[in-house]
């Protein structure tokens, strides 16, 4: 059985959809925290079991009979994230899975300026140490991040954000399909993958231009000092740790950490990747 964690999350549910195009539903299982939220998957014949990375015992039942487990990186911040991901990797091994896959990031690194990458680097190291056959799927930066910044920019007419840098913005749907292929196509990806990222790296000046072309409205890009941006964000209600976390993304982007592109995504998909423009068009429709 092919087990996907977070099967009702944004990425996880798309991976399940793509898997169901490739294998019968009785070969697919999801591990979710809220079983009731996965009723539609159960109706499609997917095995639904409760599993929470912070309750490792729950994973023994959720991963039972696993041939492969795809661990979707959990949306947990801070030290707890590493322990939780390790618990999932250990549980996959206990279940007898012959392969563990993990949704990593193209900028995974212990010395990244973006804290989320430390979590991915720790997971990759643990996989290499403990998991036997493993695949760390190094996802490009989610283009869905536009949803955080573009609506406000359209309200104010300004991208008033810290200095950034080019990012190879990548669509969830493309990554979910690549992940499903990794689980089902013999020989697709072993170990740490190349960057699974769209081929074009765009900064916020580029994004402002494209949004302008789509909406007919001019967006000004205004670079704000890091501390000034953080103070404004906190005054607007963002908790200080979340503001610091978000600032890390801009610092890493300006260092070029997310500028990496690679043909691997388009090669495995056998088609062009979804462009950032297409993601923006769908979002702004
Ligand atoms: N590549 C990138 O640029 C990028 C950007 C942002 C985030 N990410 C990573 O990608 C992951 C998936 O993103 P998404 O868009 O699908 O976000 P999402 O919909 O918020 O998914 C987060 C997932 O984490 C799972 N989760 C949280 N706490 C958990 C726990 N204690 N035990 C087991 N699972 C837990 C959730 O499971 P439930 O469904 O059970 O709640 C959910 O499926 C994120 O969690 C994050 O690590 C990557």
């Amino acid at each position: 059985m092919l087990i996907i964690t977070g099967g009702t999350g944004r990425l996880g549910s798309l991976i399940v959809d793509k898997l169901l195009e490739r294998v019968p539903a009785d070969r697919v299982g999801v591990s979710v925290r809220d079983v009731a939220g996965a009723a539609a998957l159960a109706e499609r014949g997917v095995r639904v079991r409760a599993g929470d990375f912070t309750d490792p015992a729950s994973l023994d039942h959720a991963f039972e009979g696993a041939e492969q487990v795809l661990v979707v990186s959990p949306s947990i911040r801070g030290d707890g994230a590493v322990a939780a991901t390790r618990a999932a990797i250990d549980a996959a091994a206990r279940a007898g899975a012959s392969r563990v896959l993990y949704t990593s990031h193209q900028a995974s690194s212990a010395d990244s300026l973006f804290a989320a990458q430390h979590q991915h680097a720790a997971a990759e190291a643990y996989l290499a140490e403990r998991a036997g056959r493993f695949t760390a799927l190094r996802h490009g930066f989610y283009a869905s991040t536009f949803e955080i910044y573009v609506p406000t920019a359209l309200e104010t007419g300004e991208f008033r954000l810290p200095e950034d840098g080019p990012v190879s913005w990548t669509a969830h749907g493309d990554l979910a399909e690549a992940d499903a292929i990794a689980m089902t196509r013999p020989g697709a990806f072993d170990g740490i993958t190349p960057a699974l990222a769209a081929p074009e790296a765009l900064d916020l000046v580029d994004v402002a231009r494209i949004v302008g072309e789509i909406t007919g409205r001019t967006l000004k890009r205004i670079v704000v000092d890091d501390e000034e941006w953080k103070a404004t964000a906190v005054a607007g209600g963002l908790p200080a740790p979340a503001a610091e976390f978000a600032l890390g993304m801009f610092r890493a982007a300006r260092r070029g950490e997310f500028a990496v592109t690679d043909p691997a995504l388009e090669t495995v998909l056998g088609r062009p990747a979804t462009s950032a423009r297409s993601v923006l068009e769908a979002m702004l429709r």
Side-chain angles (χ1 to χ4, degrees), residues 150-265:
V150 171
T152 311
L154 280 170
E155 270 171 33
T156 61
E158 291 176 346
F159 256 134
R160 186 175 278 277
L161 292 166
E163 184 186 346
D164 66 314
V167 177
S168 44
W169 303 106
T170 308
H172 266 69
D174 288 357
L175 294 167
E177 189 173 337
D179 296 350
I181 290 170
M183 292 190 94
T184 53
R185 186 184 295 168
F189 298 135
D190 257 326
I192 294 174
T193 70
L196 300 173
E200 193 180 24
L202 304 173
D203 64 16
L204 287 177
V205 172
D206 300 316
V207 175
R209 175 179 44 77
I210 295 168
V211 171
E213 287 164 5
I214 295 169
T215 62
R217 293 169 54 194
T218 304
L219 277 191
K220 270 199 233 161
R221 168 70 173 112
I222 300 188
V223 174
V224 185
D225 169 78
D226 287 1
E227 293 310 315
E228 183 190 333
W229 178 81
K230 207 167 103 177
T232 307
V234 170
L238 193 66
E244 185 60 31
F245 181 83
L247 194 52
M249 186 195 87
F250 290 94
R251 290 183 173 131
R254 79 177 72 130
R255 191 163 75 165
E257 292 188 32
F258 310 131
V260 178
T261 61
D262 191 281
L265 178 64

Side-chain angles (χ1 to χ4, degrees), residues 35-275:
V35 169
L41 287 178
E43 273 169 31
R44 292 168 76 185
V46 171
R47 188 182 85 179
V48 175
R49 291 199 175 170
D52 186 325
F53 296 178
T54 61
D55 174 14
S58 70
L59 300 176
D60 290 331
H61 183 58
F63 293 178
E64 188 184 0
E67 299 155 43
Q68 300 185 45
V69 177
L70 172 56
V71 177
V72 170
S73 53
S75 49
I76 301 173
R77 282 198 198 141
D79 296 343
V82 173
T85 305
R86 286 181 175 177
I89 293 167
D90 286 340
R94 278 198 308 278
S98 60
R99 182 186 187 199
V100 184
L101 302 95
Y102 169 77
T103 60
S104 186
H105 198 285
Q106 51 107 327
S108 165
S109 164
D111 71 359
S112 172
L113 296 178
F114 185 31
Q117 306 310 329
H118 308 164
Q119 171 186 338
H120 295 307
E124 288 183 347
Y126 198 68
L127 281 166
E129 185 189 323
R130 300 294 290 272
R133 186 177 172 216
F134 77 94
T135 300
L137 297 145
R138 283 198 161 182
H139 286 179
F141 212 106
Y142 289 169
S144 61
T145 308
F146 295 146
E147 293 162 15
I148 302 172
Y149 299 110
V150 171
T152 311
L154 280 170
E155 270 171 33
T156 61
E158 291 176 346
F159 256 134
R160 186 175 278 277
L161 292 166
E163 184 186 346
D164 66 314
V167 177
S168 44
W169 303 106
T170 308
H172 266 69
D174 288 357
L175 294 167
E177 189 173 337
D179 296 350
I181 290 170
M183 292 190 94
T184 53
R185 186 184 295 168
F189 298 135
D190 257 326
I192 294 174
T193 70
L196 300 173
E200 193 180 24
L202 304 173
D203 64 16
L204 287 177
V205 172
D206 300 316
V207 175
R209 175 179 44 77
I210 295 168
V211 171
E213 287 164 5
I214 295 169
T215 62
R217 293 169 54 194
T218 304
L219 277 191
K220 270 199 233 161
R221 168 70 173 112
I222 300 188
V223 174
V224 185
D225 169 78
D226 287 1
E227 293 310 315
E228 183 190 333
W229 178 81
K230 207 167 103 177
T232 307
V234 170
L238 193 66
E244 185 60 31
F245 181 83
L247 194 52
M249 186 195 87
F250 290 94
R251 290 183 173 131
R254 79 177 72 130
R255 191 163 75 165
E257 292 188 32
F258 310 131
V260 178
T261 61
D262 191 281
L265 178 64
E266 295 190 331
T267 302
V268 79
L269 296 177
R271 61 169 172 81
T274 306
S275 65

